[in-house]
């Protein structure tokens, strides 16, 4: 590895770090917590939750999860040390106070002298100021909601970085960086660029996230990001989401050459970093994009000059979601394999299992962990993992999850990496290398004593500092005197009260500290401030702080804010259009209840019955919360797949009334993905749902619009009895939005058979149809044979639930209750009685699973597998077939299979061209 692999991303040394974390008041305490495999997430008592504003109804709610990762002493701050008045300290968001404090402590850890206009940059990230919303603006003095100048300066994120620059006397760039969950790692990337561009000589970079109240717990929402049981189980088969954590992390960065010149202690070296955004190549704004993740990892490796085989540890974004974790690892593996030959058995982890999700502070905290891993040559154990999530497919990936601490003694761990992916699509990735060997230690010149310089804001603080330093020397007898003197002289900011003495060895240094403690400061300045030759900066106690409580209590009742979801699960439904329920003018209060829920969650008052949900700021992520709230309010669960298509309160109210009357939800046309040109209409598989197409669209990079057809259990009194009847109904739907061809049709499994019949019927009507796209669709000959009895089909359903990943995370009994079994059997019966009565005058594009289906399932369904090349006999055009990994029920699995399937899908739809 070279010192300068790329002029834009030269090596950057991590020379200092500080932080406050759940269960750990400092970086050394964080390392101890990680090595011990401790979890800082804890269960809150009823008293804590009540004090935080939770009502008795909140405590008794079955969805309330009384867990979180709170930050101790978040209300404390040394206002005197930083020159802040008590009034301003009380008005200031604790996030600003904690970040300022950690920035100072990180500078001390690095031996970085601040003040005097030092050319040091600040890149900071913070979360929404809930302290402003639920404390300051609910106090008697500020309850009128007026954002006075002091309130604005103390709480707005715009002033997070600039306050640090002002209070520490730094003249480099000072920017607040906001990219959601990836904010602080984005800040690190920007800081590295500023250093390489020469805009600063050093940089402070990091983030903070503290949400108030901290101990109220949260409401679990099915399909949301937060954990069902209050624990973040990254990579585990029982993973169900993350938990909100609170904390702060800051690192000090310098150009590697400058750090080595200055004798800095180097934790690790950032060899390369990269930043990008998913753009629109994903299912929705809040969805992650596999292509973007792969691209940012490949770019960071490329600019780092680090062989991918050297990367032995990866700190993943890892939020503990059943779908998100496999998607992330598959993207990581694809990027690593594209960059070369990844190290077999590279270790992966995520400290979200220990600390929860720190939101704006998550990325830098992951960087701190990775730097410590390289510094200590040890990977801590990954906690909260029993049986791995089977959809990770770890047996196919070059990664291992450490269950115990792994120490690198014989062969060093040369490099590590960190990922952080933000909602909205901003992805950040850093590649770190082991710090270079320090130059040989110089000889200590004992003939001339070294000056020992201490300074503090006042005499009491100086005495306290002397006591701490005296204790530190007793605990670390191997410290070199020259390093002690150099760090105190060249690595500490000078304060008003100064004391200097000389020492020829550590015994004299201890004696001099004892004299200072007994007699006080002498006020003498050192005769020479020049650095000592071949001396190194070392870790020493910093300036004592005296934090006191600065807090504004709300005088009006404080509602418990819902913990925000920090990212979106892949596979969540997308907006679209759907046929509405029958109009109803009943004055039953449903519309008022629906409107109240929307106003509460959208934060908009005066919503009219015909106002558009999306125009009001709603999206598919917020829909999860609204559907959950509607269930609690009106006792009806709306189909998430169709909710975003209802659009207006009046139509939502109609859907509630229809559901109460027993009408099925989710019928009609559902927009899976908007895009360019005419849509590809995808017919649902036998189960009648469109989840698989949502997953496929998320992994796809094409811009062809996708519209799915949902199975109508009953529609306006019509219940299709045959596959031809169903195809005719779907032709009507398609023509209602696209009156004339050419049409684009496709479908998976049963959906492909229906799409074929639709194509035949449209051609008979004189319309043009482009090639039909089939995803592992059996030929009609495979279904020849008698129907199954209800008992036989019920047994086959049990086999299906065991064999297919399509139903992971789904309660089979609930599916039975919701009619999935009935729909599946009805569609299977249609296949048993269908055979084309004429050929399709066109082509078929067939993506065929390369593995055979489980024989147990085929036997249970009485499917006689025939070679899919027989489709050629049903068309006059050409059959184009392409193999994809997996079998009929595993080809959509997250990871390499869905990625490969999506790539093949993109190749197929590219044949449509533009129109």
């Amino acid at each position: 590895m070279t010192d300068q692999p790329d002029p834009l991303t030269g090596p950057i040394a991590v020379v200092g770090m500080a932080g406050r974390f759940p269960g750990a008041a400092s970086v050394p305490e964080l390392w101890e917590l990680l090595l011990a495999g401790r979890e800082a997430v804890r269960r809150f008592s009823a008293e804590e939750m009540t004090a935080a504003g939770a009502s008795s109804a909140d405590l008794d709610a079955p969805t309330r999860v009384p867990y979180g990762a709170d930050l101790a002493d978040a209300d404390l701050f040394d206002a005197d040390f930083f020159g802040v008045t008590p009034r301003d300290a009380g008005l200031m968001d604790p996030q600003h106070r904690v970040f300022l404090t950690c920035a100072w402590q990180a500078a001390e850890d690095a031996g970085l002298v601040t003040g005097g206009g030092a050319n040091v940059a600040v890149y900071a990230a913070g979360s929404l100021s809930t302290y402003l919303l639920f404390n300051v603006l609910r106090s008697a003095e500020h309850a009128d909601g007026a954002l006075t100048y002091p309130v604005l300066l103390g709480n707005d994120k715009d002033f997070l970085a600039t306050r640090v620059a002002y209070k520490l006397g730094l003249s480099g760039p000072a920017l607040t960086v906001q990219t959601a969950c990836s904010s602080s790692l984005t800040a690190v990337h920007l800081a590295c660029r500023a250093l390489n561009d020469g805009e600063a000589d050093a940089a402070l970079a990091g983030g903070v996230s503290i949400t108030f109240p901290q101990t109220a717990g949260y409401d679990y929402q099915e399909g949301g990001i937060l954990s069902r049981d209050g624990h973040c189980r990254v990579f585990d088969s029982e993973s169900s989401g993350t938990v909100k954590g609170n904390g702060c992390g800051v690192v000090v960065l310098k150009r590697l050459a400058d750090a080595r010149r200055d004798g800095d202690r180097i934790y690790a070296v950032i060899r390369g970093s990269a930043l990008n955004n998913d753009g629109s190549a994903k299912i929705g704004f809040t969805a992650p994009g596999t292509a973007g993740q792969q691209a940012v990892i490949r770019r960071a490796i490329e600019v780092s000059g680090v062989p991918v085989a050297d990367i032995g540890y990866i700190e993943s974004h890892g939020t503990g979601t059943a779908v998100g974790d496999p998607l992330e690892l598959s993207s990581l593996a694809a990027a690593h394999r594209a960059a070369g030959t990844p190290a077999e058995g590279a270790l992966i982890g995520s400290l979200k299992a220990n600390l929860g999700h720190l939101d704006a502070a998550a990325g830098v905290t992951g960087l701190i962990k990775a730097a410590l891993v390289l510094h200590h040559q040890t990977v801590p154990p990954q906690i909260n993992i029993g049986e791995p999530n089977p959809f990770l497919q770890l047996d196919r990936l070059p990664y291992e999850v450490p269950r115990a601490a792994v120490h690198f003694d014989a062969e060093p761990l040369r490099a590590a990496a960190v990922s952080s992916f933000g909602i909205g699509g901003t992805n950040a990735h850093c590649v770190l290398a082991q710090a270079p060997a320090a130059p040989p230690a110089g000889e200590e010149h004992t003939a001339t004593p070294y000056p020992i310089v201490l300074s503090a804001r006042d005499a009491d603080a100086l005495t306290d500092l002397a006591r701490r330093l005296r204790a530190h020397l007793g605990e670390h007898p191997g410290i070199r005197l020259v390093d002690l003197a150099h760090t105190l002289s060249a690595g500490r900011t000078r304060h008003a009260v100064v004391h200097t003495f000389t020492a020829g060895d550590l015994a004299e240094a201890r004696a001099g500290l004892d004299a200072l403690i007994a007699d006080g400061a002498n006020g003498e300045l050192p005769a020479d401030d020049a650095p000592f030759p071949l001396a190194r900066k070392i870790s020493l106690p910093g300036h004592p702080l005296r934090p006191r409580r600065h807090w504004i209590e709300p005088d009006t009742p404080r509602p418990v804010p819902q913990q925000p979801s920090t990212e979106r699960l892949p596979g969540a439904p997308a907006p679209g259009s759907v046929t509405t329920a029958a109009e109803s003018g009943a004055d039953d209060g449903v519309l008022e209840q629906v409107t109240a829920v929307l106003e509460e969650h959208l934060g908009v008052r005066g919503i009219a019955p015909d106002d558009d949900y999306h125009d009001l700021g709603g999206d598919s992520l917020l829909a999860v919360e609204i559907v959950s709230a509607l269930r609690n309010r009106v006792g009806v669960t709306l189909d998430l797949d169709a909710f975003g298509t209802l659009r207006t309160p009046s139509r939502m109210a109609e859907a509630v009334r229809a559901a109460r009357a027993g009408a099925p939800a989710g019928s009609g046309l559902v927009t899976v993905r908007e895009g360019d040109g005419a849509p590809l209409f995808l017919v649902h598989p036998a189960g009648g749902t469109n989840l698989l197409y949502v997953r496929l669209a998320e992994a796809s990079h094409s811009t062809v619009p996708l519209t799915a057809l949902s199975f109508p259990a009953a529609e306006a009194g019509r219940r299709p009895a045959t596959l031809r009847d169903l195809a005719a109904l779907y032709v009507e739907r398609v023509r209602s939005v696209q009156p004339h061809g050419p049409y684009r049709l496709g479908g998976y499994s049963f959906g492909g058979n229906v799409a074929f019949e639709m194509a035949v019927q449209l051609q008979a009507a004189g319309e043009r149809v482009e090639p039909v796209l089939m995803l592992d669709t059996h030929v009609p000959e495979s279904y020849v044979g008698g129907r199954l009895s209800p008992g036989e089909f019920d047994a086959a359903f049990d086999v299906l639930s065991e064999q297919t990943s399509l139903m992971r995370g789904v309660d089979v009994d609930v599916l039975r209750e919701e009619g999935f079994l009935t729909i599946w059997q009805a569609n299977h019966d249609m296949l048993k009685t269908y055979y084309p009565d004429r050929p399709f005058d066109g082509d078929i594009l067939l993506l065929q699973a390369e593995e055979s289906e489980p024989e147990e399932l085929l036997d249970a369904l009485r499917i006689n597998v025939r070679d899919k090349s027989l489709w050629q006999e049903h068309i006059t055009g050409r059959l184009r077939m392409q193999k994809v990994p997996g079998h009929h029920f595993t080809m959509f699995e997250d990871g390499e299979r869905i990625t490969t399937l999506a790539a093949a899908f993109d190749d197929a739809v590219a044949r449509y061209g533009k129109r």
Side-chain angles (χ1 to χ4, degrees), residues 673 680 696 699-704 706 744 770-775 844-847 880-885 898-914:
R673 177 179 68 198
L680 168 60
L696 180 62
S700 166
H701 300 157
S702 80
T703 59
V704 173
L706 304 178
R744 299 170 176 177
E770 297 196 47
V772 175
L773 176 58
M774 295 181 175
L775 285 72
I844 287 179
L845 308 175
L846 175 62
L847 305 183
R880 295 183 174 90
M881 300 177 64
Q882 182 174 344
K883 295 288 186 69
V884 294
I898 189 72
T899 301
T900 304
L901 175 62
F905 178 86
D906 290 350
D907 290 341
V909 299
R911 298 178 183 273
Y912 293 139
K914 296 285 186 180

Short mmCIF file of all heavy atoms in Angstrom, two decimals, residues 673 680 696 699-704 706 744 770-775 844-847 880-885 898-914:
data_model
loop_
_atom_site.label_atom_id
_atom_site.label_comp_id
_atom_site.label_asym_id
_atom_site.label_seq_id
_atom_site.Cartn_x
_atom_site.Cartn_y
_atom_site.Cartn_z
N ARG A 673 -43.78 0.46 -9.75
CA ARG A 673 -42.70 1.41 -10.00
C ARG A 673 -43.11 2.35 -11.12
O ARG A 673 -43.59 1.92 -12.16
CB ARG A 673 -41.41 0.69 -10.40
CG ARG A 673 -40.26 1.64 -10.75
CD ARG A 673 -38.99 0.91 -11.11
NE ARG A 673 -39.10 0.18 -12.36
CZ ARG A 673 -38.29 -0.81 -12.74
NH1 ARG A 673 -37.33 -1.20 -11.92
NH2 ARG A 673 -38.43 -1.41 -13.91
N LEU A 680 -45.18 -2.10 -18.01
CA LEU A 680 -45.23 -3.56 -18.12
C LEU A 680 -46.24 -4.02 -17.08
O LEU A 680 -46.05 -3.80 -15.88
CB LEU A 680 -43.86 -4.17 -17.85
CG LEU A 680 -43.80 -5.68 -17.64
CD1 LEU A 680 -44.29 -6.43 -18.87
CD2 LEU A 680 -42.38 -6.11 -17.28
N LEU A 696 -38.52 -7.41 -6.66
CA LEU A 696 -37.82 -7.41 -7.94
C LEU A 696 -37.55 -5.99 -8.41
O LEU A 696 -36.45 -5.68 -8.89
CB LEU A 696 -38.67 -8.16 -8.97
CG LEU A 696 -38.09 -8.26 -10.39
CD1 LEU A 696 -36.77 -9.03 -10.38
CD2 LEU A 696 -39.09 -8.93 -11.33
N ALA A 699 -34.59 -4.34 -6.72
CA ALA A 699 -33.28 -4.79 -7.18
C ALA A 699 -33.01 -4.43 -8.63
O ALA A 699 -31.88 -4.48 -9.09
CB ALA A 699 -33.16 -6.30 -6.99
N SER A 700 -34.06 -4.05 -9.35
CA SER A 700 -33.94 -3.75 -10.78
C SER A 700 -33.40 -2.35 -11.00
O SER A 700 -33.60 -1.44 -10.20
CB SER A 700 -35.33 -3.87 -11.43
OG SER A 700 -35.35 -3.28 -12.71
N HIS A 701 -32.69 -2.18 -12.12
CA HIS A 701 -32.13 -0.87 -12.47
C HIS A 701 -32.81 -0.24 -13.67
O HIS A 701 -32.46 0.87 -14.06
CB HIS A 701 -30.63 -0.99 -12.77
CG HIS A 701 -29.83 -1.50 -11.64
ND1 HIS A 701 -28.60 -2.13 -11.79
CD2 HIS A 701 -30.09 -1.52 -10.31
CE1 HIS A 701 -28.16 -2.49 -10.61
NE2 HIS A 701 -29.03 -2.13 -9.70
N SER A 702 -33.73 -0.95 -14.30
CA SER A 702 -34.38 -0.41 -15.48
C SER A 702 -35.37 0.68 -15.08
O SER A 702 -35.72 0.84 -13.92
CB SER A 702 -35.12 -1.52 -16.24
OG SER A 702 -36.37 -1.80 -15.62
N THR A 703 -35.82 1.44 -16.08
CA THR A 703 -36.78 2.51 -15.82
C THR A 703 -38.15 2.22 -16.43
O THR A 703 -38.99 3.10 -16.51
CB THR A 703 -36.25 3.84 -16.38
OG1 THR A 703 -36.02 3.71 -17.79
CG2 THR A 703 -34.96 4.24 -15.69
N VAL A 704 -38.37 0.97 -16.84
CA VAL A 704 -39.67 0.60 -17.38
C VAL A 704 -40.69 0.61 -16.25
O VAL A 704 -40.49 -0.04 -15.23
CB VAL A 704 -39.62 -0.79 -18.04
CG1 VAL A 704 -41.01 -1.27 -18.44
CG2 VAL A 704 -38.70 -0.77 -19.26
N LEU A 706 -43.70 -0.38 -13.89
CA LEU A 706 -44.26 -1.68 -13.56
C LEU A 706 -45.61 -1.50 -12.87
O LEU A 706 -45.70 -0.77 -11.87
CB LEU A 706 -43.31 -2.47 -12.65
CG LEU A 706 -41.89 -2.69 -13.17
CD1 LEU A 706 -41.06 -3.44 -12.14
CD2 LEU A 706 -41.90 -3.43 -14.49
N ARG A 744 -47.51 -4.49 -23.05
CA ARG A 744 -46.41 -5.24 -22.44
C ARG A 744 -46.97 -6.04 -21.28
O ARG A 744 -47.53 -5.46 -20.32
CB ARG A 744 -45.32 -4.28 -21.94
CG ARG A 744 -44.70 -3.44 -23.05
CD ARG A 744 -43.81 -2.34 -22.49
NE ARG A 744 -43.15 -1.61 -23.56
CZ ARG A 744 -42.36 -0.54 -23.36
NH1 ARG A 744 -42.16 -0.09 -22.12
NH2 ARG A 744 -41.78 0.05 -24.37
N GLU A 770 -46.36 -6.88 -27.36
CA GLU A 770 -44.91 -7.11 -27.41
C GLU A 770 -44.58 -8.45 -26.75
O GLU A 770 -45.46 -9.10 -26.18
CB GLU A 770 -44.18 -5.95 -26.72
CG GLU A 770 -44.40 -4.62 -27.44
CD GLU A 770 -43.39 -3.57 -27.01
OE1 GLU A 770 -42.19 -3.88 -26.96
OE2 GLU A 770 -43.82 -2.43 -26.73
N PRO A 771 -43.32 -8.92 -26.83
CA PRO A 771 -42.97 -10.22 -26.23
C PRO A 771 -43.47 -10.36 -24.80
O PRO A 771 -43.32 -9.45 -23.98
CB PRO A 771 -41.44 -10.22 -26.30
CG PRO A 771 -41.12 -9.38 -27.49
CD PRO A 771 -42.15 -8.29 -27.48
N VAL A 772 -44.07 -11.51 -24.50
CA VAL A 772 -44.57 -11.79 -23.15
C VAL A 772 -43.39 -12.22 -22.28
O VAL A 772 -42.61 -13.10 -22.66
CB VAL A 772 -45.65 -12.88 -23.19
CG1 VAL A 772 -46.07 -13.26 -21.77
CG2 VAL A 772 -46.85 -12.41 -24.00
N LEU A 773 -43.27 -11.59 -21.12
CA LEU A 773 -42.18 -11.89 -20.19
C LEU A 773 -42.66 -12.85 -19.11
O LEU A 773 -43.58 -12.52 -18.34
CB LEU A 773 -41.66 -10.59 -19.55
CG LEU A 773 -40.57 -10.74 -18.49
CD1 LEU A 773 -39.34 -11.45 -19.05
CD2 LEU A 773 -40.18 -9.38 -17.92
N MET A 774 -42.08 -14.05 -19.06
CA MET A 774 -42.46 -15.06 -18.08
C MET A 774 -41.31 -15.31 -17.11
O MET A 774 -40.15 -15.41 -17.53
CB MET A 774 -42.82 -16.37 -18.77
CG MET A 774 -44.05 -16.31 -19.66
SD MET A 774 -44.38 -17.93 -20.41
CE MET A 774 -45.93 -17.59 -21.25
N LEU A 775 -41.63 -15.41 -15.83
CA LEU A 775 -40.65 -15.74 -14.81
C LEU A 775 -40.95 -17.14 -14.30
O LEU A 775 -41.88 -17.35 -13.52
CB LEU A 775 -40.68 -14.73 -13.66
CG LEU A 775 -40.06 -13.35 -13.94
CD1 LEU A 775 -40.93 -12.52 -14.87
CD2 LEU A 775 -39.83 -12.58 -12.63
N ILE A 844 -41.78 -15.01 -26.70
CA ILE A 844 -41.79 -15.16 -25.24
C ILE A 844 -40.38 -15.00 -24.73
O ILE A 844 -39.44 -15.59 -25.27
CB ILE A 844 -42.36 -16.53 -24.81
CG1 ILE A 844 -43.87 -16.59 -25.01
CG2 ILE A 844 -42.02 -16.82 -23.34
CD1 ILE A 844 -44.50 -17.92 -24.63
N LEU A 845 -40.22 -14.19 -23.70
CA LEU A 845 -38.95 -14.06 -22.98
C LEU A 845 -39.12 -14.80 -21.66
O LEU A 845 -39.90 -14.38 -20.81
CB LEU A 845 -38.63 -12.58 -22.72
CG LEU A 845 -38.67 -11.65 -23.95
CD1 LEU A 845 -38.45 -10.19 -23.51
CD2 LEU A 845 -37.62 -12.06 -24.95
N LEU A 846 -38.40 -15.89 -21.46
CA LEU A 846 -38.60 -16.76 -20.30
C LEU A 846 -37.34 -16.79 -19.44
O LEU A 846 -36.27 -17.19 -19.90
CB LEU A 846 -38.95 -18.18 -20.76
CG LEU A 846 -39.09 -19.25 -19.67
CD1 LEU A 846 -40.22 -18.90 -18.71
CD2 LEU A 846 -39.32 -20.62 -20.28
N LEU A 847 -37.48 -16.34 -18.20
CA LEU A 847 -36.39 -16.44 -17.22
C LEU A 847 -36.65 -17.71 -16.41
O LEU A 847 -37.60 -17.78 -15.63
CB LEU A 847 -36.37 -15.21 -16.31
CG LEU A 847 -36.28 -13.85 -17.03
CD1 LEU A 847 -36.19 -12.72 -16.02
CD2 LEU A 847 -35.10 -13.81 -17.99
N ARG A 880 -37.12 -17.13 -26.21
CA ARG A 880 -35.79 -16.80 -25.70
C ARG A 880 -35.76 -17.16 -24.22
O ARG A 880 -36.55 -16.64 -23.44
CB ARG A 880 -35.47 -15.31 -25.88
CG ARG A 880 -35.36 -14.86 -27.33
CD ARG A 880 -34.97 -13.39 -27.38
NE ARG A 880 -34.70 -12.93 -28.72
CZ ARG A 880 -35.61 -12.41 -29.54
NH1 ARG A 880 -36.88 -12.29 -29.11
NH2 ARG A 880 -35.30 -12.02 -30.74
N MET A 881 -34.84 -18.04 -23.84
CA MET A 881 -34.77 -18.52 -22.46
C MET A 881 -33.44 -18.12 -21.83
O MET A 881 -32.40 -18.16 -22.49
CB MET A 881 -34.93 -20.05 -22.42
CG MET A 881 -36.25 -20.55 -22.98
SD MET A 881 -36.37 -22.36 -23.01
CE MET A 881 -36.30 -22.73 -21.26
N GLN A 882 -33.49 -17.74 -20.56
CA GLN A 882 -32.27 -17.42 -19.82
C GLN A 882 -32.37 -18.01 -18.43
O GLN A 882 -33.38 -17.85 -17.74
CB GLN A 882 -32.07 -15.90 -19.73
CG GLN A 882 -30.79 -15.51 -18.99
CD GLN A 882 -30.51 -14.02 -19.03
OE1 GLN A 882 -31.11 -13.30 -19.83
NE2 GLN A 882 -29.62 -13.56 -18.17
N LYS A 883 -31.34 -18.74 -18.02
CA LYS A 883 -31.32 -19.37 -16.71
C LYS A 883 -30.98 -18.34 -15.62
O LYS A 883 -30.16 -17.44 -15.83
CB LYS A 883 -30.28 -20.50 -16.66
CG LYS A 883 -30.57 -21.67 -17.58
CD LYS A 883 -31.75 -22.48 -17.05
CE LYS A 883 -31.96 -23.74 -17.88
NZ LYS A 883 -30.90 -24.73 -17.72
N VAL A 884 -31.63 -18.49 -14.46
CA VAL A 884 -31.34 -17.66 -13.29
C VAL A 884 -31.16 -18.57 -12.08
O VAL A 884 -31.69 -19.69 -12.05
CB VAL A 884 -32.47 -16.63 -13.03
CG1 VAL A 884 -32.54 -15.62 -14.16
CG2 VAL A 884 -33.80 -17.33 -12.85
N PRO A 885 -30.43 -18.14 -11.07
CA PRO A 885 -30.13 -19.01 -9.92
C PRO A 885 -31.38 -19.37 -9.11
O PRO A 885 -32.37 -18.63 -9.09
CB PRO A 885 -29.16 -18.18 -9.08
CG PRO A 885 -28.64 -17.13 -9.99
CD PRO A 885 -29.73 -16.85 -10.98
N ILE A 898 -31.77 -12.62 -6.11
CA ILE A 898 -32.65 -11.54 -6.57
C ILE A 898 -31.86 -10.54 -7.43
O ILE A 898 -32.38 -9.97 -8.39
CB ILE A 898 -33.33 -10.82 -5.38
CG1 ILE A 898 -34.42 -9.85 -5.87
CG2 ILE A 898 -32.33 -10.10 -4.54
CD1 ILE A 898 -35.64 -10.52 -6.39
N THR A 899 -30.57 -10.36 -7.10
CA THR A 899 -29.74 -9.44 -7.89
C THR A 899 -29.56 -9.97 -9.30
O THR A 899 -29.69 -9.23 -10.29
CB THR A 899 -28.37 -9.25 -7.21
OG1 THR A 899 -28.56 -8.73 -5.89
CG2 THR A 899 -27.51 -8.29 -8.01
N THR A 900 -29.27 -11.28 -9.41
CA THR A 900 -29.09 -11.87 -10.74
C THR A 900 -30.40 -11.90 -11.50
O THR A 900 -30.45 -11.62 -12.71
CB THR A 900 -28.54 -13.30 -10.60
OG1 THR A 900 -27.33 -13.27 -9.83
CG2 THR A 900 -28.25 -13.91 -11.97
N LEU A 901 -31.49 -12.24 -10.81
CA LEU A 901 -32.80 -12.25 -11.46
C LEU A 901 -33.15 -10.86 -11.98
O LEU A 901 -33.64 -10.71 -13.10
CB LEU A 901 -33.86 -12.73 -10.47
CG LEU A 901 -35.32 -12.69 -10.96
CD1 LEU A 901 -35.50 -13.62 -12.16
CD2 LEU A 901 -36.27 -13.08 -9.83
N ALA A 902 -32.88 -9.85 -11.16
CA ALA A 902 -33.19 -8.47 -11.58
C ALA A 902 -32.37 -8.06 -12.79
O ALA A 902 -32.87 -7.37 -13.69
CB ALA A 902 -32.96 -7.51 -10.43
N ALA A 903 -31.11 -8.49 -12.84
CA ALA A 903 -30.27 -8.16 -13.99
C ALA A 903 -30.81 -8.81 -15.26
O ALA A 903 -30.86 -8.19 -16.33
CB ALA A 903 -28.83 -8.59 -13.73
N ALA A 904 -31.23 -10.08 -15.13
CA ALA A 904 -31.82 -10.77 -16.28
C ALA A 904 -33.14 -10.11 -16.68
O ALA A 904 -33.46 -9.98 -17.87
CB ALA A 904 -32.03 -12.25 -15.95
N PHE A 905 -33.91 -9.71 -15.69
CA PHE A 905 -35.18 -9.01 -15.94
C PHE A 905 -34.92 -7.71 -16.69
O PHE A 905 -35.62 -7.38 -17.66
CB PHE A 905 -35.86 -8.74 -14.59
CG PHE A 905 -37.14 -7.98 -14.68
CD1 PHE A 905 -38.35 -8.63 -14.90
CD2 PHE A 905 -37.16 -6.61 -14.51
CE1 PHE A 905 -39.54 -7.93 -14.97
CE2 PHE A 905 -38.33 -5.89 -14.57
CZ PHE A 905 -39.52 -6.55 -14.80
N ASP A 906 -33.91 -6.97 -16.27
CA ASP A 906 -33.57 -5.72 -16.94
C ASP A 906 -33.17 -5.95 -18.39
O ASP A 906 -33.53 -5.17 -19.28
CB ASP A 906 -32.45 -5.00 -16.19
CG ASP A 906 -32.90 -4.46 -14.84
OD1 ASP A 906 -34.12 -4.48 -14.57
OD2 ASP A 906 -32.03 -4.02 -14.06
N ASP A 907 -32.39 -7.01 -18.61
CA ASP A 907 -32.00 -7.34 -19.99
C ASP A 907 -33.23 -7.63 -20.85
O ASP A 907 -33.31 -7.24 -22.01
CB ASP A 907 -31.05 -8.54 -20.01
CG ASP A 907 -29.68 -8.21 -19.45
OD1 ASP A 907 -29.34 -7.01 -19.39
OD2 ASP A 907 -28.95 -9.14 -19.08
N ALA A 908 -34.19 -8.34 -20.24
CA ALA A 908 -35.39 -8.72 -21.00
C ALA A 908 -36.24 -7.49 -21.34
O ALA A 908 -36.66 -7.31 -22.49
CB ALA A 908 -36.21 -9.73 -20.21
N VAL A 909 -36.49 -6.63 -20.34
CA VAL A 909 -37.36 -5.48 -20.60
C VAL A 909 -36.68 -4.44 -21.48
O VAL A 909 -37.34 -3.61 -22.09
CB VAL A 909 -37.85 -4.84 -19.29
CG1 VAL A 909 -38.66 -5.82 -18.47
CG2 VAL A 909 -36.69 -4.28 -18.46
N ALA A 910 -35.34 -4.51 -21.56
CA ALA A 910 -34.63 -3.57 -22.43
C ALA A 910 -35.01 -3.80 -23.89
O ALA A 910 -34.84 -2.91 -24.73
CB ALA A 910 -33.12 -3.73 -22.25
N ARG A 911 -35.52 -5.00 -24.20
CA ARG A 911 -35.93 -5.30 -25.57
C ARG A 911 -37.16 -4.49 -25.98
O ARG A 911 -37.45 -4.37 -27.18
CB ARG A 911 -36.22 -6.79 -25.72
CG ARG A 911 -35.02 -7.69 -25.46
CD ARG A 911 -35.38 -9.17 -25.59
NE ARG A 911 -34.25 -10.01 -25.27
CZ ARG A 911 -33.34 -10.40 -26.16
NH1 ARG A 911 -33.44 -9.97 -27.42
NH2 ARG A 911 -32.33 -11.16 -25.81
N TYR A 912 -37.89 -3.96 -24.98
CA TYR A 912 -39.05 -3.16 -25.32
C TYR A 912 -38.68 -1.83 -25.95
O TYR A 912 -39.45 -1.24 -26.69
CB TYR A 912 -39.91 -2.91 -24.08
CG TYR A 912 -40.57 -4.15 -23.51
CD1 TYR A 912 -40.62 -4.35 -22.13
CD2 TYR A 912 -41.13 -5.10 -24.33
CE1 TYR A 912 -41.22 -5.46 -21.59
CE2 TYR A 912 -41.74 -6.23 -23.81
CZ TYR A 912 -41.77 -6.41 -22.43
OH TYR A 912 -42.37 -7.52 -21.91
N GLY A 913 -37.50 -1.32 -25.60
CA GLY A 913 -37.09 -0.02 -26.11
C GLY A 913 -37.87 1.10 -25.46
O GLY A 913 -38.48 0.93 -24.40
N LYS A 914 -37.89 2.27 -26.07
CA LYS A 914 -38.57 3.45 -25.54
C LYS A 914 -39.80 3.77 -26.38
O LYS A 914 -39.76 3.72 -27.61
CB LYS A 914 -37.64 4.66 -25.54
CG LYS A 914 -36.43 4.51 -24.63
CD LYS A 914 -36.80 4.68 -23.19
CE LYS A 914 -35.56 4.68 -22.30
NZ LYS A 914 -35.92 4.84 -20.89
#
